[in-house]
Amino acid sequence: MAVKVDIISGFLGAGKTTLIRKLIKDALSGEQVVLIENEFGEIGIDGGFLADAGIKIREMNSGCICCSLVGDFGVALKEVVAKYHPDRIIIEPSGVGKLSDVMAAVTGLHDDDLKINSASTVADAQKVKMYMKNFGEFFNNQIQYAGTIILSRTQLISQDKLDKAVAMIREQNPKATIITTPWDELSGQKILDAMEGIDSMELDMLKEAAEKAHAEHEAEHHHHHHDHDHEHEEHDHDHEHEEHDHDHDHEDHDHDHEEHDHDHEGHEHHHHHDADDVFTSWGRETAKKYTEDQLTQILDKLSGSDEYGIVLRAKGMLPTPDGKWLFFDMVPGEADVRGGSPEVTGKIVVIGSELKEDKLQELFEV
């Protein structure tokens, strides 16, 4: 029997980890499951977040699965099969990775022991518009190649905004099943059935399209490296994401500021970017102690302001003055701070675009 491979992609902070926990607890408890995650950023701390769910993890913290790491990724997959003989491997790619690259990496192994069982994307319903506008190349790729699109936080937005988000997704992917019911109301089994319910011919078509997209991206990437214009292109990057819409739609006074959205599609260049060019991560290990109030204030500042760049995610674990530990995980507009068991040292990682490192350093006083 070939090992089932489920790819669960999604932008940083969309809720992939929460979904995976729910699936493992509700629907996959009788199976041997291995999770391979490839988070973007130097400090791998998801191990700490997931270890308490009792999942075996082989941390892959060498950055992004894209282009450069397809080789290592294949080795990791084969190693997992040989070592654990799992029934199922869940791959949680980097939040900024392209789903087509990940699918191509798996099918490119030509390994009969592995078969892609599902390719799904978790998307935060509140942020579809903002992400399409600012990070279209990456976000849309995850939407286009998914058999199932699982919307998170649908309970937090108005019906009108949900309808608009679904319509935008439909433009990118007319066929995928879109889950719009809040997860709390669905069993893990129901979600898994939807993920696996995609018919096999359609999945094969998605896989072929993904391989083609990946090959084109590789060819183009290769071409750029031999291109004298490359310097100018690099220079373009600085201006590309200058003005970003942050969707400041506070649902409680539901008047959308949509009329004021500036259209920056004009800035789009036609060449592909690697995630490494667009997204960066700032990480620190620290022995500094923070009270819960201090940490909450820091996260509020990070969440509510453009002062630090475009922050997509911040997470870490930090000691408090009274000997406890706080684990935090933040996406703009929402922060989760909880107690955890002591770590060897405090860790902070912030992921986003055009991060202002000096400002982050001041904020955390590290």
Side-chain angles (χ1 to χ4, degrees), residues 51-112:
D52 50 5
I55 306 160
K56 296 192 185 77
I57 294 180
R58 178 178 183 280
E59 289 252 82
M60 289 177 56
N61 290 317
S62 24
C64 186
I65 278 177
C66 322
C67 307
S68 59
L69 270 190
V70 170
D72 298 355
F73 176 65
V75 170
L77 269 183
K78 287 180 161 50
E79 196 177 295
V80 159
V81 173
K83 197 165 167 189
Y84 297 119
H85 310 292
D87 300 305
R88 185 186 296 265
I89 294 174
I90 296 176
I91 298 176
E92 180 187 354
S94 149
V96 294
K98 291 184 174 173
L99 179 53
S100 56
D101 283 350
V102 186
M103 292 167 78
V106 178
T107 49
L109 293 173
H110 305 296
D111 187 333
D112 295 338

Coordinates of all heavy atoms in Angstrom, one line a residue, residues 51-112:
A51 N 4.7 19.5 19.7 CA 5.1 18.3 20.4 C 4.0 17.8 21.4 O 3.8 16.6 21.6 CB 6.4 18.6 21.2
D52 N 3.3 18.8 22.0 CA 2.3 18.3 23.0 C 1.1 17.6 22.4 O 0.3 17.1 23.0 CB 1.9 19.5 23.9 CG 1.5 20.7 23.1 OD1 1.4 20.6 21.8 OD2 1.2 21.8 23.7
A53 N 1.0 17.7 21.0 CA -0.1 16.9 20.4 C 0.4 15.4 20.1 O -0.3 14.6 19.6 CB -0.5 17.5 19.1
G54 N 1.7 15.1 20.6 CA 2.2 13.8 20.4 C 2.4 13.4 19.0 O 2.2 12.2 18.6
I55 N 2.9 14.3 18.2 CA 3.2 13.9 16.8 C 4.7 13.9 16.6 O 5.4 14.7 17.1 CB 2.6 15.0 15.9 CG1 1.2 15.3 16.2 CG2 2.8 14.7 14.4 CD1 0.7 16.6 15.7
K56 N 5.2 12.9 15.9 CA 6.6 12.8 15.6 C 6.9 13.8 14.6 O 6.3 13.9 13.5 CB 7.0 11.4 15.1 CG 6.7 10.3 16.0 CD 7.4 9.0 15.5 CE 7.1 7.8 16.4 NZ 5.8 7.3 16.1
I57 N 8.0 14.6 14.8 CA 8.3 15.6 13.8 C 9.8 15.5 13.5 O 10.7 15.3 14.3 CB 8.1 17.0 14.5 CG1 6.7 17.2 14.7 CG2 8.6 18.1 13.5 CD1 6.4 18.6 15.3
R58 N 10.0 15.6 12.2 CA 11.4 15.8 11.8 C 11.4 17.3 11.3 O 10.8 17.6 10.3 CB 11.7 14.9 10.6 CG 13.1 15.1 10.0 CD 13.3 14.1 8.9 NE 14.7 14.3 8.4 CZ 15.1 15.3 7.6 NH1 14.2 16.1 7.2 NH2 16.3 15.3 7.2
E59 N 12.1 18.1 12.1 CA 12.1 19.5 11.8 C 12.9 19.8 10.5 O 14.0 19.3 10.3 CB 12.8 20.3 12.9 CG 11.9 20.3 14.2 CD 11.3 21.7 14.4 OE1 10.3 22.0 13.8 OE2 11.9 22.4 15.2
M60 N 12.3 20.5 9.6 CA 13.0 21.0 8.4 C 13.1 22.5 8.5 O 12.2 23.1 8.1 CB 12.3 20.5 7.2 CG 12.3 19.0 7.0 SD 11.4 18.6 5.5 CE 12.1 19.6 4.3
N61 N 14.2 23.0 9.0 CA 14.2 24.4 9.2 C 15.2 25.1 8.2 O 15.8 26.1 8.5 CB 14.6 24.7 10.6 CG 13.5 24.4 11.5 OD1 12.3 24.6 11.1 ND2 13.7 23.7 12.6
S62 N 15.5 24.4 7.1 CA 16.4 25.0 6.2 C 15.8 26.0 5.3 O 16.2 26.2 4.2 CB 17.2 23.9 5.5 OG 16.4 22.8 5.4
G63 N 14.6 26.6 5.7 CA 14.0 27.6 4.9 C 12.9 27.1 4.1 O 12.1 26.3 4.6
C64 N 12.8 27.5 2.8 CA 11.7 27.3 2.0 C 11.8 26.0 1.2 O 12.9 25.7 0.7 CB 11.5 28.5 1.1 SG 10.1 28.5 0.2
I65 N 10.7 25.3 0.9 CA 10.8 24.1 0.1 C 11.1 24.5 -1.4 O 11.6 23.7 -2.1 CB 9.4 23.4 0.1 CG1 9.3 22.5 1.3 CG2 9.3 22.5 -1.2 CD1 8.0 21.8 1.4
C66 N 10.7 25.7 -1.7 CA 10.9 26.2 -3.1 C 12.2 25.8 -3.7 O 13.2 25.5 -3.0 CB 10.8 27.7 -3.2 SG 9.6 28.3 -2.1
C67 N 12.3 25.8 -5.0 CA 13.5 25.5 -5.8 C 14.6 24.7 -5.1 O 14.7 23.5 -5.2 CB 14.1 26.7 -6.4 SG 12.9 27.6 -7.3
S68 N 15.3 25.5 -4.3 CA 16.6 25.0 -3.8 C 16.5 23.7 -3.0 O 17.4 22.9 -2.9 CB 17.3 26.1 -3.0 OG 16.4 26.4 -1.9
L69 N 15.3 23.5 -2.3 CA 15.3 22.4 -1.3 C 14.6 21.2 -1.8 O 14.4 20.3 -1.0 CB 14.7 22.9 0.0 CG 15.7 23.5 0.9 CD1 15.2 23.7 2.2 CD2 16.9 22.5 1.0
V70 N 14.2 21.1 -3.1 CA 13.5 20.0 -3.5 C 14.2 18.7 -3.3 O 13.7 17.7 -2.8 CB 13.0 20.1 -5.0 CG1 12.4 18.9 -5.5 CG2 12.0 21.3 -5.1
G71 N 15.5 18.7 -3.5 CA 16.4 17.6 -3.2 C 16.3 17.1 -1.8 O 15.9 15.9 -1.5
D72 N 16.5 18.0 -0.8 CA 16.5 17.6 0.6 C 15.1 17.1 1.0 O 15.0 16.2 1.8 CB 16.8 18.8 1.5 CG 18.2 19.3 1.2 OD1 18.9 18.7 0.4 OD2 18.5 20.4 1.8
F73 N 14.2 17.7 0.4 CA 12.8 17.4 0.7 C 12.5 15.9 0.4 O 11.9 15.2 1.1 CB 11.9 18.4 0.0 CG 10.4 18.1 0.1 CD1 9.8 18.3 1.4 CD2 9.6 17.7 -0.9 CE1 8.5 18.1 1.6 CE2 8.3 17.5 -0.8 CZ 7.7 17.7 0.5
G74 N 13.0 15.5 -0.8 CA 12.8 14.2 -1.2 C 13.4 13.2 -0.3 O 12.9 12.1 0.1
V75 N 14.6 13.5 0.1 CA 15.4 12.7 1.1 C 14.6 12.5 2.4 O 14.4 11.4 2.9 CB 16.8 13.3 1.4 CG1 17.5 12.5 2.5 CG2 17.7 13.2 0.1
A76 N 14.1 13.7 2.8 CA 13.3 13.6 4.1 C 12.1 12.7 4.0 O 11.8 11.9 4.9 CB 12.9 15.1 4.4
L77 N 11.4 12.8 2.8 CA 10.2 12.0 2.6 C 10.5 10.5 2.6 O 9.9 9.7 3.3 CB 9.5 12.3 1.3 CG 8.5 13.4 1.3 CD1 7.9 13.5 -0.1 CD2 7.4 13.1 2.3
K78 N 11.6 10.2 1.9 CA 12.0 8.8 1.8 C 12.4 8.2 3.2 O 12.1 7.1 3.6 CB 13.1 8.6 0.8 CG 12.6 8.7 -0.6 CD 13.8 8.5 -1.6 CE 13.5 8.2 -3.0 NZ 12.8 8.6 -3.9
E79 N 13.1 9.1 3.9 CA 13.6 8.7 5.3 C 12.4 8.5 6.2 O 12.4 7.5 7.0 CB 14.4 9.9 5.8 CG 15.3 9.5 7.0 CD 16.1 10.8 7.4 OE1 16.9 11.2 6.6 OE2 15.8 11.2 8.5
V80 N 11.4 9.3 6.1 CA 10.2 9.2 6.9 C 9.5 7.8 6.6 O 9.1 7.1 7.5 CB 9.2 10.4 6.7 CG1 7.8 10.0 7.1 CG2 9.8 11.6 7.5
V81 N 9.4 7.5 5.3 CA 8.7 6.3 4.9 C 9.5 5.1 5.5 O 9.0 4.1 6.1 CB 8.6 6.2 3.4 CG1 8.1 4.8 3.0 CG2 7.6 7.2 2.9
A82 N 10.8 5.1 5.3 CA 11.7 4.0 5.7 C 11.7 3.8 7.2 O 11.6 2.7 7.8 CB 13.1 4.2 5.2
K83 N 11.6 4.9 7.9 CA 11.8 4.9 9.4 C 10.5 4.6 10.1 O 10.4 3.8 11.1 CB 12.4 6.2 9.9 CG 13.0 6.2 11.2 CD 13.8 7.5 11.4 CE 14.2 7.7 12.9 NZ 14.8 9.0 13.0
Y84 N 9.4 5.2 9.7 CA 8.2 5.1 10.4 C 7.1 4.3 9.7 O 6.1 4.0 10.4 CB 7.6 6.5 10.6 CG 8.4 7.4 11.4 CD1 8.9 8.6 10.9 CD2 8.8 7.1 12.8 CE1 9.7 9.5 11.6 CE2 9.6 8.0 13.5 CZ 10.0 9.1 13.0 OH 10.8 10.0 13.7
H85 N 7.3 3.9 8.5 CA 6.2 3.2 7.7 C 4.8 3.7 8.0 O 4.0 3.0 8.5 CB 6.3 1.7 8.1 CG 7.6 1.1 8.0 ND1 8.3 1.0 6.8 CD2 8.5 0.7 8.9 CE1 9.5 0.4 7.0 NE2 9.6 0.3 8.3
P86 N 4.6 5.0 7.8 CA 3.4 5.6 8.2 C 2.2 5.2 7.3 O 2.5 4.8 6.2 CB 3.6 7.1 8.2 CG 4.7 7.3 7.1 CD 5.5 6.0 7.2
D87 N 1.0 5.4 7.8 CA -0.2 5.2 6.9 C -0.3 6.5 6.0 O -0.8 6.5 4.9 CB -1.4 5.0 7.7 CG -1.3 3.8 8.6 OD1 -1.1 2.7 8.1 OD2 -1.5 3.9 9.8
R88 N 0.1 7.6 6.6 CA -0.2 8.9 6.0 C 0.9 9.9 6.4 O 1.4 9.9 7.6 CB -1.5 9.3 6.6 CG -2.1 10.6 6.0 CD -3.3 11.0 6.8 NE -4.4 10.1 6.7 CZ -5.4 10.2 5.8 NH1 -5.4 11.2 4.9 NH2 -6.4 9.4 5.8
I89 N 1.3 10.7 5.5 CA 2.3 11.8 5.8 C 1.5 13.1 5.5 O 1.0 13.3 4.4 CB 3.5 11.7 4.9 CG1 4.3 10.4 5.2 CG2 4.4 12.9 5.0 CD1 5.5 10.2 4.2
I90 N 1.5 13.9 6.5 CA 0.9 15.3 6.2 C 2.1 16.2 6.0 O 3.0 16.3 6.8 CB 0.1 15.7 7.4 CG1 -1.1 14.8 7.6 CG2 -0.4 17.2 7.2 CD1 -2.0 15.1 8.8
I91 N 2.0 16.9 4.9 CA 3.1 17.9 4.7 C 2.5 19.3 4.9 O 1.5 19.6 4.3 CB 3.6 17.8 3.2 CG1 4.3 16.4 3.0 CG2 4.7 18.9 2.9 CD1 4.7 16.2 1.6
E92 N 3.1 20.0 5.8 CA 2.7 21.4 6.0 C 3.8 22.3 5.5 O 4.8 22.5 6.2 CB 2.5 21.6 7.5 CG 2.0 23.0 7.8 CD 2.0 23.3 9.3 OE1 2.2 22.4 10.1 OE2 1.8 24.5 9.7
P93 N 3.7 22.8 4.2 CA 4.8 23.5 3.7 C 4.9 24.9 4.3 O 4.0 25.3 5.0 CB 4.4 23.7 2.2 CG 3.1 23.0 2.0 CD 2.5 22.7 3.3
S94 N 6.0 25.6 4.0 CA 6.2 26.9 4.5 C 5.0 27.8 4.1 O 4.4 27.6 3.0 CB 7.4 27.5 3.8 OG 7.3 28.8 3.6
G95 N 4.6 28.6 5.0 CA 3.5 29.5 4.8 C 3.6 30.3 3.5 O 2.6 30.8 3.0
V96 N 4.8 30.5 3.0 CA 4.9 31.4 1.8 C 5.4 30.5 0.6 O 5.7 31.1 -0.4 CB 5.9 32.5 2.1 CG1 5.3 33.5 3.1 CG2 7.2 32.1 2.5
G97 N 5.4 29.2 0.8 CA 5.8 28.3 -0.3 C 4.7 28.3 -1.3 O 3.5 28.5 -1.0
K98 N 5.0 27.9 -2.6 CA 4.0 27.7 -3.6 C 3.5 26.3 -3.5 O 4.3 25.3 -3.5 CB 4.6 28.0 -5.0 CG 4.9 29.5 -5.1 CD 5.4 29.9 -6.5 CE 5.5 31.4 -6.6 NZ 6.1 31.8 -7.8
L99 N 2.2 26.1 -3.5 CA 1.7 24.7 -3.5 C 2.1 23.9 -4.7 O 2.4 22.7 -4.6 CB 0.1 24.8 -3.4 CG -0.6 23.5 -3.4 CD1 -0.1 22.6 -2.3 CD2 -2.1 23.8 -3.2
S100 N 2.2 24.6 -5.9 CA 2.6 23.8 -7.1 C 4.0 23.3 -6.9 O 4.3 22.2 -7.4 CB 2.5 24.7 -8.3 OG 3.3 25.9 -8.2
D101 N 4.9 24.0 -6.2 CA 6.3 23.5 -6.0 C 6.3 22.3 -5.1 O 7.0 21.3 -5.3 CB 7.2 24.6 -5.3 CG 7.6 25.7 -6.2 OD1 7.4 25.5 -7.4 OD2 8.1 26.7 -5.7
V102 N 5.4 22.3 -4.1 CA 5.4 21.1 -3.2 C 4.8 19.9 -3.8 O 5.3 18.8 -3.7 CB 4.5 21.5 -1.9 CG1 4.7 20.4 -0.9 CG2 5.0 22.8 -1.3
M103 N 3.7 20.1 -4.6 CA 3.2 19.0 -5.3 C 4.2 18.4 -6.3 O 4.3 17.2 -6.4 CB 1.9 19.4 -6.0 CG 0.8 19.8 -5.1 SD -0.6 20.7 -5.9 CE -1.5 19.3 -6.6
A104 N 4.9 19.3 -7.0 CA 5.8 18.8 -8.0 C 7.0 18.1 -7.3 O 7.5 17.1 -7.9 CB 6.4 20.0 -8.8
A105 N 7.4 18.5 -6.1 CA 8.4 17.9 -5.4 C 8.1 16.4 -5.0 O 8.9 15.5 -5.1 CB 8.8 18.6 -4.1
V106 N 6.8 16.2 -4.7 CA 6.4 14.9 -4.3 C 6.2 14.0 -5.6 O 6.8 12.9 -5.6 CB 5.0 14.9 -3.6 CG1 4.6 13.5 -3.2 CG2 5.1 15.7 -2.3
T107 N 5.6 14.5 -6.6 CA 5.4 13.6 -7.8 C 6.7 13.4 -8.5 O 6.9 12.4 -9.1 CB 4.3 14.2 -8.8 OG1 4.7 15.6 -9.0 CG2 2.9 14.1 -8.2
G108 N 7.6 14.4 -8.4 CA 8.9 14.3 -9.0 C 9.8 13.2 -8.5 O 10.8 12.9 -9.1
L109 N 9.4 12.7 -7.3 CA 10.2 11.6 -6.7 C 10.0 10.3 -7.5 O 10.8 9.3 -7.3 CB 9.9 11.4 -5.3 CG 10.2 12.5 -4.3 CD1 9.6 12.3 -2.9 CD2 11.7 12.7 -4.2
H110 N 8.9 10.2 -8.2 CA 8.6 9.0 -8.9 C 8.7 7.8 -8.0 O 9.3 6.7 -8.3 CB 9.4 8.8 -10.2 CG 9.4 9.9 -11.1 ND1 8.3 10.3 -11.7 CD2 10.3 10.8 -11.4 CE1 8.5 11.4 -12.5 NE2 9.7 11.7 -12.3
D111 N 8.1 7.9 -6.8 CA 8.3 6.9 -5.8 C 6.9 6.2 -5.7 O 5.9 6.8 -5.3 CB 8.7 7.5 -4.5 CG 9.0 6.5 -3.4 OD1 8.4 5.4 -3.5 OD2 9.8 6.8 -2.5
D112 N 6.9 4.9 -6.0 CA 5.6 4.2 -5.9 C 5.1 4.0 -4.5 O 3.9 3.7 -4.3 CB 5.7 2.8 -6.5 CG 6.0 2.9 -8.0 OD1 5.7 3.9 -8.6 OD2 6.6 1.9 -8.6

